[in-house]
Amino acid sequence: FGMLEANGGGMLGAIRHLLSSVFVPALHSSASWGQGNAKEVERLRNDFLVKLESFVHILAGAEASLSDVISLPPCTEVDLALISTPSDYLRAAANVEMVELLERCLTTWCKELEQILTKSDHMRKEADTVGPRVELEYWKKR
């Protein structure tokens, strides 16, 4: 029984750290993996360790993806916290000025997102070593 310390990097980081720092080294150094055909046991052991290390790598990638946050500028023209119920939505939709203000915010956000996606696409196309692995990583993060 143990306890995960997730204060520094969140739960994914804590699990990744535990697996990579404790379990993977312990399993690599363990000589006893059960009884049976020695070659088969060794093959199963190696297969398990490769998959466990791959899982740790996937956790690191997920952690990196979660840290890539897009921060859109706040909508300063409208207090969006005041529009929270269906009746608020109907009132806002009936108010022409409010709709125009909200459209301006949405237009700004759409332009920001288009710039980010264009930049990301451009960086991907510029890479000299674009291979299947790089292409998969790109689509995972997108």
Side-chain angles (χ1 to χ4, degrees), residues 75 77-78 80 96-111:
C75 186
E77 299 177 39
V78 177
L80 296 175
V96 175
E97 284 183 34
M98 178 69 77
V99 171
E100 287 175 0
L101 293 173
L102 290 170
E103 281 179 349
R104 260 190 255 150
C105 287
L106 289 173
T107 301
T108 302
W109 292 340
C110 286
K111 286 178 183 176

Side-chain angles (χ1 to χ4, degrees), residues 27-28 30-53:
L27 291 170
H28 270 291
S30 176
S32 175
W33 277 70
Q35 298 176 355
N37 182 350
K39 286 183 180 182
E40 181 67 14
V41 169
E42 185 63 22
R43 186 189 66 74
L44 290 172
R45 175 185 181 270
N46 290 336
D47 187 44
F48 177 76
L49 289 171
V50 165
K51 288 185 174 151
L52 182 60
E53 288 169 349

Side-chain angles (χ1 to χ4, degrees), residues 10-82:
M11 190 55 73
L12 280 180
I15 293 171
R16 181 192 47 76
H17 179 70
L18 179 67
L19 289 173
S20 64
S21 300
V22 177
F23 286 106
V24 171
L27 291 170
H28 270 291
S29 65
S30 176
S32 175
W33 277 70
Q35 298 176 355
N37 182 350
K39 286 183 180 182
E40 181 67 14
V41 169
E42 185 63 22
R43 186 189 66 74
L44 290 172
R45 175 185 181 270
N46 290 336
D47 187 44
F48 177 76
L49 289 171
V50 165
K51 288 185 174 151
L52 182 60
E53 288 169 349
S54 174
F55 178 67
V56 169
H57 178 72
I58 289 169
L59 286 177
E63 198 175 7
S65 291
L66 289 174
S67 69
D68 291 341
V69 176
I70 296 172
S71 296
L72 296 173
C75 186
T76 56
E77 299 177 39
V78 177
D79 186 2
L80 296 175
L82 299 176

